[in-house]
Amino acid sequence: MQKRRILFVNQEISPFSKETEISKFAHDLPEYIQSHKDKDTKEGREIRTFMPRYSYVHEIKNQLHEVIRLSGMNLIINTIDHQLIIKVGSMPKSKTQVYFVDNDEYFADRESIRDEQGVFFPDNDERMMFFNRGSLEAVRKLAWKPNLIHTNGWFASMIPFYIRRFNKEDIFFNGTKIVVSIFGSDAFDEQFSDLMEKKLRHEGATAKDRLLYGGRDYISTMRTAITYAHGIVIASPNADKQLVEYAKANKKNVLEYNPNTDEFFRQINKFYDVVIGSGKK
């Protein structure tokens, strides 16, 4: 049996990012998944991991190098061409490869989602679009079709939307299932640009998509991800209750939080097979 392929798309990963609830989860889970085999099938997984190349991810210190065959294409965001640059490094201990989505305007000179004064970047909606599309375009150029994509953090939450859009254009991601994590620490109070609906139109969003994103806030963004996902992992004891209730009300496959990390990761690994085999589109 061929190993099932799991793609992780993350808002942040330690130690490249400072340690937070999300960055630690996004570091520890892929390492666990890569090193553990299923007890029944005796099969392991193939994994790929992506995050943005924020300015604090030092290229020399982290020994990043550009992946020429994945870089160079332009993505049109809000009618403007933006060059996609893909760099790769590895986690210090496990040597798990991490692909970094980079762009001179959106990431090279900016840390995370806020400036040095803590102000939410006004183009975070565009940065999110670029990162999510860029990750999927890089995977397509790798010709590495994932069985399942697991997103961690709201900045990676447009993956379900883009998978639906891409599947209308070609068959590369046909059959790929999506799991979305719900955390309690990544919420924000700000709204995205009031031009977000216009930007979404350029991204091929339907009237339903634009309605779901209508609030232009954290809840709307994550609700849209949940709507188009196949499985939900409650990854935090403080996960937003509205989102958890929404996922259950929409009859999604939901995995409850478990404070025992090793047991929780084992459950997530088995959960992947449940979601992949669910047959839901």
Side-chain angles (χ1 to χ4, degrees):
M1 180 185 296
Q2 185 179 20
K3 291 182 179 180
R4 283 178 164 173
R5 294 174 169 180
I6 311 296
L7 171 65
F8 295 94
V9 185
N10 308 286
Q11 180 168 311
E12 55 194 14
I13 307 172
S14 64
F16 305 106
S17 306
K18 66 180 180 180
E19 187 168 302
T20 65
E21 180 182 52
I22 295 175
S23 71
K24 181 171 173 51
F25 184 89
H27 171 276
D28 295 349
L29 178 61
E31 285 200 339
Y32 177 95
I33 297 301
Q34 182 166 264
S35 63
H36 286 71
K37 294 183 178 181
D38 183 87
K39 291 181 180 179
D40 298 322
T41 65
K42 309 300 181 184
E43 291 290 335
R45 314 283 195 187
E46 284 187 38
I47 71 168
R48 295 286 186 276
T49 304
F50 281 75
M51 74 166 277
R53 210 287 287 180
Y54 303 117
S55 62
Y56 58 67
V57 182
H58 197 280
E59 292 193 34
I60 297 176
K61 178 182 176 181
N62 292 293
Q63 299 181 337
L64 305 188
H65 64 271
E66 185 174 349
V67 186
I68 302 300
R69 69 189 180 101
L70 301 182
S71 299
M73 76 174 80
N74 284 356
L75 303 183
I76 300 175
I77 304 291
N78 195 24
T79 73
I80 299 174
D81 280 356
H82 297 275
Q83 186 180 31
L84 174 64
I85 302 168
I86 303 293
K87 297 172 182 176
V88 67
S90 60
M91 296 183 186
K93 292 183 180 180
S94 67
K95 303 304 178 184
T96 301
Q97 281 194 328
V98 178
Y99 292 89
F100 294 86
V101 174
D102 200 359
N103 172 267
D104 289 342
E105 180 180 352
Y106 288 142
F107 298 112
D109 297 321
R110 291 197 263 177
E111 292 193 3
S112 196
I113 62 169
R114 298 180 186 277
D115 65 18
E116 293 178 354
Q117 286 72 46
V119 177
F120 197 75
F121 287 117
D123 62 348
N124 271 337
D125 54 350
E126 293 182 27
R127 299 174 75 220
M128 174 173 61
M129 292 172 187
F130 184 87
F131 170 60
N132 285 254
R133 271 183 62 194
S135 297
L136 294 176
E137 292 291 359
V139 170
R140 288 208 287 192
K141 289 194 78 172
L142 278 170
W144 191 84
K145 179 178 178 177
N147 297 102
L148 182 141
I149 304 173
H150 189 163
T151 72
N152 295 297
W154 68 263
F155 204 75
S157 67
M158 290 191 76
I159 292 293
F161 159 74
Y162 279 119
I163 288 293
R164 286 174 57 86
R165 203 204 80 177
F166 284 171
N167 278 345
K168 292 179 181 179
E169 300 172 357
D170 63 45
I171 63 171
F172 184 81
F173 288 108
N174 270 2
T176 296
K177 301 299 177 66
I178 306 166
V179 167
V180 171
S181 291
I182 303 176
F183 293 91
S185 58
D186 63 333
F188 55 87
D189 296 324
E190 296 88 349
Q191 284 187 308
F192 292 122
S193 163
D194 56 8
L195 296 176
M196 187 176 182
E197 181 177 356
K198 177 185 175 183
K199 297 172 186 178
L200 285 167
R201 286 178 183 271
H202 292 309
E203 296 302 295
T206 64
K208 178 183 177 181
D209 298 327
R210 299 194 300 273
L211 181 63
L212 284 167
Y213 279 115
R216 296 184 287 112
D217 56 11
Y218 173 75
I219 294 296
S220 297
T221 301
M222 291 304 298
R223 276 184 175 173
T224 307
I226 291 167
T227 299
Y228 296 141
H230 304 94
I232 307 299
V233 171
I234 303 174
S236 166
N238 301 313
D240 189 284
K241 293 181 179 179
Q242 290 184 64
L243 297 177
V244 173
E245 291 173 1
Y246 181 81
K248 292 179 177 179
N250 280 268
K251 296 182 171 59
K252 299 295 178 179
N253 289 306
V254 175
L255 181 65
E256 299 284 352
Y257 175 74
N258 186 335
N260 183 320
T261 301
D262 202 59
E263 176 65 16
F264 190 32
F265 287 174
R266 187 189 69 80
Q267 291 172 342
I268 292 173
N269 201 17
K270 293 182 72 68
F271 186 65
Y272 291 158
D273 290 322
V274 171
V275 174
I276 291 170
S278 68
K280 295 179 180 179
K281 298 183 178 180

